[in-house]
Amino acid sequence: MDALEFYGLTPTGDPGRWRLPVVGGLCSGFGTFFGGAALGAAIEANVRQARLLGTLIENDRAFELLAPVALNIVCFRARLPTPADDDALDRFNDALVMRLQATGIAVTSSTILGGRHAIRVNVMNHRTRDEDLSILMDTLRTLAAELR
């Protein structure tokens, strides 16, 4: 695929059939402008940064990692200082994601992992710096304290 052509895609019931041509088009565009080596370096940097974020979360008692970090996806949640039921913790993390998005500092998403609501970070921007991950965690820590 030389260019992004959304009009040629049809629903197949397989989400991968929608995504692969788009991702391939985006990757080939990046590679055309910056070169294949630069694309590979950007992907490797994002994977490394996701692992770094996972380490920051593991070392912070206010958060818990909900799944091993694989590639560039990190799923975690904030902990409450006192024990809470699962529903209260789910509501707290959902509210935290919404508050973070309202700040404009970072955009995360939420997901459900093993029946628990999680904060989901997908590190995929070639301009992401290691410091951005520290800013994200500092902001989440501050917002969580405000929500408590």
Side-chain angles (χ1 to χ4, degrees):
M1 176 178 272
D2 293 331
L4 294 177
E5 297 177 352
F6 295 103
Y7 59 84
L9 298 176
T10 59
T12 63
D14 176 7
R17 300 282 307 267
W18 282 90
R19 282 184 270 159
L20 289 177
V22 174
V23 170
L26 291 173
C27 290
S28 66
F30 188 97
T32 299
F33 289 113
F34 300 106
L39 175 60
I43 292 169
E44 286 177 8
N46 287 159
V47 170
R48 181 191 56 76
Q49 289 168 327
R51 289 188 182 125
L52 172 61
L53 180 58
T55 300
L56 293 173
I57 292 163
E58 288 178 323
N59 293 329
D60 192 326
R61 296 176 57 101
F63 299 94
E64 68 175 311
L65 199 59
L66 294 180
V69 177
L71 297 178
N72 62 334
I73 306 288
V74 184
C75 293
F76 64 104
R77 69 178 175 176
R79 294 180 174 154
L80 290 171
T82 57
D85 63 55
D86 290 338
D87 289 339
L89 193 53
D90 288 346
R91 286 191 305 275
F92 181 78
N93 278 279
D94 289 344
L96 187 55
V97 168
M98 290 173 43
R99 291 281 300 270
L100 176 64
Q101 290 178 358
T103 69
I105 291 172
V107 177
T108 63
S109 62
S110 56
T111 190
I112 298 174
L113 190 62
R116 299 178 290 180
H117 289 226
I119 301 167
R120 181 180 177 274
V121 175
N122 183 359
V123 183
M124 61 177 278
N125 190 317
H126 65 281
R127 295 178 295 178
T128 300
R129 303 167 303 154
D130 292 356
E131 304 85 58
D132 295 330
L133 305 174
S134 294
I135 292 168
L136 168 65
M137 294 308 296
D138 290 343
T139 302
L140 284 170
R141 206 174 300 105
T142 299
L143 294 172
E146 291 172 5
L147 284 171
R148 291 186 184 116

